[in-house]
Amino acid sequence: MAKLTICMYGAASDNIDSFYITETEKLGEEIAQRHHRLIYGGGATGLMGACARGAARKGGTIIGVVPGFMNEMEPINSNCTEIIHTETMGERKQIMEDNADAFVIAPGGVGTLDEFFQILTLTELRRKSAPIVLFNINGFYDDLISFIYVGIEKGFIREGVRELFHVCNTAPEAMDMIEKTL
Ligand code: AMP
């Protein structure tokens, strides 16, 4: 199949169980082994760093999209094969969204949740049409998924939103889902 650009969102935090790190490294490996490209926030830490590390291990193409101010705060991940510098966080999000054929959301904090809901909203409003996979390592997103379903039952979230994202527990499952959908 044609080479896809996979946008990965996920935690910057390193203060997490090693299980999440290992599973996300596998995601990076899986992306590269299937000859797809990774585009992500360019961070070296947490699950961002883990995904890039996995992809690098298998010789993958890794595009980091980094706003200037972050550059000054921390080093850019040396595993990136290409860096796109942006002025603002907004511009960075836009570049990741515009270039991605699919989105994988690994466990994360408010940054990751913001990115998930932004892409979900854009998809709901038909500004973007690309598979969205919640990478539900260790059931991390179970409560969030239940909450979305509560929102649907109570009429706050449209029924159709249920179909706008997939939930996958392993890296091969996530990539199979994306390849099957596209
Ligand atoms: P969080 O989930 O709060 O850890 O934020 C991680 C998400 O926000 C990633 O998907 C990145 O796109 C972005 N982000 C937050 N902090 C950083 C950072 N230090 N370096 C690169 N990207 C970051």
Side-chain angles (χ1 to χ4, degrees):
M1 88 174 289
K3 194 175 185 134
L4 301 173
T5 303
I6 310 294
C7 179
M8 178 270 177
Y9 297 133
S13 174
D14 274 322
N15 192 22
I16 54 179
D17 196 295
S18 62
F19 185 74
Y20 295 103
I21 306 266
T22 310
E23 292 307 300
T24 307
E25 283 179 359
K26 286 185 198 163
L27 174 69
E29 289 181 2
E30 201 71 29
I31 291 171
Q33 267 167 347
R34 296 181 188 222
H35 307 290
H36 301 312
R37 286 183 215 95
L38 170 66
I39 189 165
Y40 85 116
T45 60
L47 298 189
M48 283 189 287
C51 192
R53 200 156 51 242
R57 209 177 275 154
K58 302 291 176 187
T61 303
I62 304 164
I63 307 160
V65 189
V66 186
F69 76 92
M70 245 177 213
N71 240 334
E72 290 151 23
M73 281 161 50
E74 57 186 78
I76 295 169
N77 193 342
S78 58
N79 283 323
C80 291
T81 53
E82 187 186 330
I83 303 281
I84 300 174
H85 293 277
T86 69
E87 292 272 327
T88 64
M89 289 292 277
E91 200 189 327
R92 169 214 221 194
K93 258 189 183 174
Q94 190 73 50
I95 288 174
M96 291 202 277
E97 283 160 19
D98 289 349
N99 284 284
D101 297 304
F103 296 84
V104 181
I105 296 94
V110 291
T112 304
L113 293 174
D114 171 53
E115 289 162 336
F116 169 56
F117 281 110
Q118 165 131 344
I119 195 60
L120 192 61
T121 305
L122 289 172
T123 306
E124 191 192 12
L125 298 175
R126 297 178 196 218
R127 301 301 94 196
K128 180 85 192 173
S129 174
I132 302 172
V133 172
L134 270 183
F135 188 21
N136 194 26
I137 304 171
N138 217 11
F140 181 82
Y141 281 120
D142 286 354
D143 289 344
L144 183 75
I145 296 160
S146 301
F147 180 72
I148 291 172
Y149 291 169
V150 168
I152 291 171
E153 273 159 37
K154 294 189 185 294
F156 288 95
I157 300 176
R158 284 194 205 104
E159 180 65 40
V161 168
R162 215 185 274 272
E163 314 302 326
L164 298 185
F165 63 95
H166 309 278
V167 181
C168 296
N169 301 317
T170 66
E173 203 190 313
M175 291 310 299
D176 284 349
M177 175 59 78
I178 288 168
E179 288 182 345
K180 192 177 83 185
T181 308
L182 287 170

